[in-house]
């Protein structure tokens, strides 16, 4: 099988990858073959490709991750996005001259349901387009565009790091969750203290990719340099489509904690859970466990009340800060709150009507009655209705964090941002203090100046600012986090 280097890429236009949010995953898995090429940077095929494949007239969004290690071994996986078919191993990768043609080609094999599918395409710059053939003579076509090379943000580790990085798998029962374990180069006798990083099930992957940043990558790097074993993992909404119940997210977090505590590198009685945003709910539940729970809890930008109570102020602060005209802003808040109330009430018909009314307003239609809404916005409403009514969103909207935090007896550090427009620190701080005071004798609830909900030093706190900020995590927050952990986990 001939292998080789692809030609230099040209930037393609009309990218479809901007429309795909879920499925951004790191690392590679599956079988690989030797390739007669040099470093990864010389091979444009290596990277993430976003696109479509067609089964007859039906289209399916896909992502393809191709990796090439220093030994010249290809690997990777294919995801059928919005389905349970994720992390399908890519094998027998061939680049350049695939299929005996002139020009630049890409060919690979994927084991899907029913058998092996061979993908064979031509590469033109950042675009690959071609055909596939499956069991029983099934054929179709595919097209994908390569994600442009990404420049690491200022705080991200580059090059050789002073610790070990290991790819691991957390056993979630019915699904395996890929993760990264970072281990200090020098371990104390009996093992090092450890930290489990938790986010809500949001499909952003183990590094919590958002706005060009990888905050969990940076946190893991800083904590490991400070002497902690750190585990971060892809939640199941990254590995497959959605959650069937919140119980799955709880079970995965508990499995990750058990996995971390069972490592020989870890001191089993010095394990902390660190939750960010909605991940603080999962972290708090692990810390509140009577047996097998975490010894320390860190909450960053967590909520102090149920989502349905937080949303009105959250939405108002956001739309007003964005300069939305007051009359339109009040309508927007009112209609979105109608959606959330319908989710809580559980009426599918009322929820769909509320979603259509919200979509209509966002499109500029300010009428009270949207009589043609189904015809105009039905397809988008179907997508958004599923998102709004997801098990996790229902949990977030209806669950008061106070009930869990009142059961937490372990040491707790809660850090909120002074410029957090999602969970306002002035409102959240007293709520967290009251709840933690019930059982935890060692807790601190603090506000970090200038920090937004995304853990950055910010001017406004708005999400529109996230991408333009070079900093990934607030330095004062990281310093305080490590200082607090050192005073407890390293005792």
């Amino acid at each position: 099988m001939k292998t080789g280097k692809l030609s230099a890429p040209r930037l393609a236009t009309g990218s479809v990858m901007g429309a795909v949010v879920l499925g951004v995953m790191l690392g590679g898995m599956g079988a690989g073959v030797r390739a007669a090429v040099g470093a990864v940077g010389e091979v444009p095929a290596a990277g993430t490709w976003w696109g479509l494949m067609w089964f007859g007239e039906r289209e399916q969004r896909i992502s393809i991750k191709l990796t090439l290690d220093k030994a010249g071994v290809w690997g990777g996986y294919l995801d059928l996005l919005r389905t349970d078919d994720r992390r399908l191993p890519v094998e027998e990768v061939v680049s350049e001259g695939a299929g005996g043609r002139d020009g630049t080609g890409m060919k690979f094999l994927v084991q899907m349901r029913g058998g092996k599918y061979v993908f064979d395409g031509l590469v033109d710059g950042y675009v690959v387009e071609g055909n596939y053939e499956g069991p029983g003579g099934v054929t179709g076509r595919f097209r994908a565009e390569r994600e442009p090379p990404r420049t690491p943000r200022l705080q991200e580790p580059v090059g050789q790091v002073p610790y070990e990085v290991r790819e691991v798998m957390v056993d979630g029962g019915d699904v395996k969750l890929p993760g990264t374990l970072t281990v200090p180069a020098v371990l104390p006798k009996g093992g090092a203290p450890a930290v489990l990083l938790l986010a809500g099930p949001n499909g952003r992957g183990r590094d919590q990719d958002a706005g060009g940043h990888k905050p969990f990558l940076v946190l893991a790097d800083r904590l490991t340099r400070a002497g902690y074993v750190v585990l971060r993992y892809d939640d199941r909404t990254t590995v497959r489509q959605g959650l069937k119940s919140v119980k799955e997210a709880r079970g995965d977090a508990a499995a990750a904690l058990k996995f971390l505590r069972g490592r020989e590198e870890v001191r089993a009685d010095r394990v902390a859970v660190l939750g960010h945003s909605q991940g603080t709910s999962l972290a708090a539940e692990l810390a509140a466990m009577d047996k097998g729970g975490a010894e320390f809890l860190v909450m960053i930008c967590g909520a102090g009340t149920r989502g349905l109570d937080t949303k009105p102020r959250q939405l108002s602060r956001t739309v007003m800060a964005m300069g939305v005209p007051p009359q339109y802003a009040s309508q927007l808040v009112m209609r979105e709150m109608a959606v959330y109330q319908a989710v809580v009430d559980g009426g599918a018909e009322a929820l769909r009507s509320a979603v259509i009314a919200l979509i209509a307003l966002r499109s500029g239609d300010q009428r009270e009655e949207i009589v043609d809404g189904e015809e105009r916005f039905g397809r988008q409403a179907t997508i958004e209705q599923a998102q709004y009514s997801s098990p996790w969103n229902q949990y977030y909207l209806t669950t008061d964090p106070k009930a869990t935090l009142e059961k937490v007896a372990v040491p707790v550090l809660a850090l909120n941002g002074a410029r957090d427009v999602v969970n306002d620190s002035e409102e959240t701080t007293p709520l967290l203090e009251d709840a933690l005071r019930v059982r935890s004798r060692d807790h601190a609830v603090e506000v970090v100046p200038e920090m937004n909900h995304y853990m950055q030093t910010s001017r406004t706190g708005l999400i529109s600012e996230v991408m333009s900020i070079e900093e990934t995590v607030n330095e004062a927050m990281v310093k305080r986090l490590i200082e607090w952990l050192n005073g407890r986990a390293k005792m």
Side-chain angles (χ1 to χ4, degrees), residues 287-288 295 404-412 436 439-442:
E295 283 73 36
T404 302
L405 293 176
E406 286 180 346
K407 300 175 184 177
V408 175
V410 303
V412 180
L436 292 170
R439 291 198 65 190
S440 176
R441 296 182 180 181
D442 178 9

Side-chain angles (χ1 to χ4, degrees), residues 276-278 300-303 417 419-423 451-456 458 461:
H276 172 245
S277 188
Q278 294 185 24
I300 302 178
C301 300
R419 291 182 178 158
D420 187 341
V421 298
V422 177
N423 295 316
M451 189 172 78
N452 63 14
H453 186 71
Y454 308 94
M455 298 186 282
Q456 301 167 298
S458 170

Side-chain angles (χ1 to χ4, degrees), residues 145-282:
E145 300 188 17
R146 184 180 182 274
E147 187 173 273
R150 178 181 176 276
T151 302
R153 294 286 184 158
L154 183 65
Q155 294 173 311
E156 291 179 24
V158 292
Q160 191 69 31
V161 293
Y163 51 81
E164 294 184 49
V165 180
R166 304 174 186 172
E167 297 303 301
V168 297
M169 283 285 185
V170 174
D171 188 353
D174 60 330
V175 65
K176 304 296 182 183
L177 305 173
T180 300
L181 189 76
T182 49
V183 181
V186 179
L187 294 170
K189 185 177 180 180
V195 180
L196 171 64
L197 302 184
L198 292 173
N202 54 26
R204 292 179 184 163
R206 71 195 76 176
D207 292 333
Q208 286 300 285
D209 299 56
H213 290 276
K214 298 178 180 289
F216 274 18
L217 168 65
V218 174
L219 284 177
D221 174 69
R222 296 299 184 86
L223 287 166
T224 310
R225 290 174 189 266
Y228 295 85
V229 177
V230 182
L231 174 64
R232 60 194 198 275
Y233 65 94
D234 295 339
D235 74 80
R236 67 174 59 213
T237 62
T238 305
V239 176
R240 73 180 197 187
Q241 185 184 27
L243 288 177
K244 295 177 182 177
S245 70
V246 174
K247 184 179 179 180
E248 290 182 327
R250 291 193 184 107
D252 293 343
L257 179 62
K258 182 179 180 180
F259 172 88
L260 184 59
R261 178 174 280 120
R263 301 287 301 192
E264 62 180 3
E265 307 92 340
V266 172
R267 180 171 172 179
D269 62 347
R270 291 289 187 272
V271 180
V273 286
L274 184 158
H276 172 245
S277 188
Q278 294 185 24
T280 58
S281 298
L282 293 174

Side-chain angles (χ1 to χ4, degrees), residues 311 315 319 328-343 350-370 373-374 376-378 380-381 383-385 387-388 393:
K311 279 295 182 181
L315 293 170
V319 297
Y328 182 80
S330 63
Q331 282 186 287
L332 195 61
V333 172
M334 181 181 67
R335 292 202 185 184
E336 187 147 1
M337 286 308 304
V339 173
Y340 291 126
Q341 188 63 58
V343 171
L351 174 59
R352 187 164 186 85
S353 296
V355 170
I356 287 177
L358 175 60
I359 296 172
L361 181 62
R362 292 203 307 252
S363 73
D365 190 338
Q366 294 182 259
R367 292 179 296 171
E368 291 296 325
E369 296 292 329
I370 313 297
E374 191 66 49
R376 295 169 60 197
F377 310 114
Q380 181 63 26
I383 296 173
E384 294 195 22
Q385 186 174 351
Q387 295 170 341
Y388 278 114
N393 200 39

Side-chain angles (χ1 to χ4, degrees), residues 315-324 421 460 462:
L315 293 170
S316 296
R317 286 192 297 265
T318 301
V319 297
M320 294 303 291
M322 292 172 65
V324 177
V421 298
T460 66
L462 296 176

